[in-house]
Amino acid sequence: MSGQPGAPEASGTDVLPGSRSALDPDRAIKPGRHGLSPETVAVIQRERLIDAFVQVVSERGFAHTPIGRVTEAAGVTKKTFYAHFRDLDDCFLAAYRRGMDILLARMTEAYNAAPTWPDGVHAALRTMLAVLAREPRFARAALVEASAAGPRVRRARIDDLARFRVFFDAPSLPPVPVPVVDAILGGVYSAIHVQTERGRTDELPSLLPSLTYFVLLPLIGREAASPYLSET
């Protein structure tokens, strides 16, 4: 929060895009002398546009989302939109990158706190599924609607899948060929994508046992991976 009593929240760097209403009264900028610096106003407007974008895209689909609908949902003008983003793809990219950074950070924290590598994978997957289940708007935008966006957004999605390779780089684990890691990551992504496209993000946590087993099976074998089929 700003140091000024009653000032709107300037940044939401710890929450996924789309989780907060862009028109929340606490985020409004009062007309006239509001006492906020131009930099703070710009941050608030950008954050509201990002949240509004995710909300609108998750409801209408990217192909049916005009800039005017995003600015209306954010409570700003088109001029303000273009002060922050070149086009809708640029806004999508900002929302996607921020959300994935937050998601990966939370997964990494859970992974690092686990006593063993298999437990770390289990903890990271549990965190990811829980976060996406709580944030269905971001889940749909990032996992489903990104396919309809431009090449920069689609490229970011490919790059982000590669970032998840870090969870396979552990001292207790023999070196795993990158194509094998990518095949495993692709399988996990596909399972989550299908559930999200069906509008069943609230059921994502139920995939935890199966996905943990799927990841561990080719790397530590059936006997060691089987106990996770009954874990939650």
Side-chain angles (χ1 to χ4, degrees), residues 19-226:
S19 64
R20 303 175 299 163
S21 170
L23 298 179
D24 190 309
D26 289 339
R27 307 177 73 184
I29 300 173
K30 296 179 180 179
R33 300 186 61 179
H34 43 62
L36 301 175
S37 68
E39 293 78 13
T40 299
V41 170
V43 169
I44 293 170
Q45 291 174 335
R46 181 180 174 87
E47 297 294 330
R48 283 166 50 182
L49 280 164
I50 288 174
D51 281 329
F53 173 84
V54 172
Q55 291 163 6
V56 173
V57 165
S58 67
E59 294 168 1
R60 296 173 57 91
F62 183 74
H64 303 286
T65 297
I67 289 177
R69 184 56 68 97
V70 174
T71 56
E72 179 183 1
V76 301
T77 64
K78 287 186 179 180
K79 180 179 179 180
T80 297
F81 178 92
Y82 285 113
H84 296 282
F85 305 108
R86 287 179 291 174
D87 49 29
L88 281 176
D89 271 6
D90 198 27
C91 187
F92 202 150
L93 197 59
Y96 182 84
R97 283 175 171 166
R98 175 175 302 162
M100 294 306 295
D101 284 348
I102 293 170
L103 180 61
L104 190 61
R106 294 183 185 178
M107 291 175 65
T108 301
E109 182 179 5
Y111 173 83
N112 289 336
T116 66
W117 178 74
D119 286 341
V121 168
H122 183 254
L125 286 170
R126 179 174 56 214
T127 298
M128 175 178 63
L129 295 171
V131 169
L132 293 177
R134 289 195 303 267
E135 304 292 351
R137 289 170 170 169
F138 177 78
R140 183 159 193 89
L143 296 171
V144 178
E145 296 305 326
S147 299
R152 287 183 297 150
V153 177
R154 297 197 301 272
R155 180 71 224 179
R157 182 175 57 181
I158 294 173
D159 292 343
D160 272 326
L161 281 175
R163 294 172 68 191
F164 286 88
R165 293 172 186 162
V166 67
F167 296 114
F168 295 83
D169 184 17
S172 62
L173 193 67
V176 185
V178 169
V180 173
V181 173
D182 287 349
I184 294 172
L185 292 173
V188 172
Y189 178 89
S190 178
I192 297 173
H193 178 278
V194 168
Q195 197 86 336
T196 303
E197 189 164 28
R198 289 174 176 170
R200 297 164 60 180
T201 50
D202 59 317
E203 299 176 18
L204 284 176
S206 68
L207 298 179
L208 178 60
S210 297
L211 289 184
T212 303
Y213 181 77
F214 172 79
V215 172
L216 298 180
L217 178 62
L219 302 178
I220 64 175
R222 183 187 302 271
E223 184 176 353
S226 292

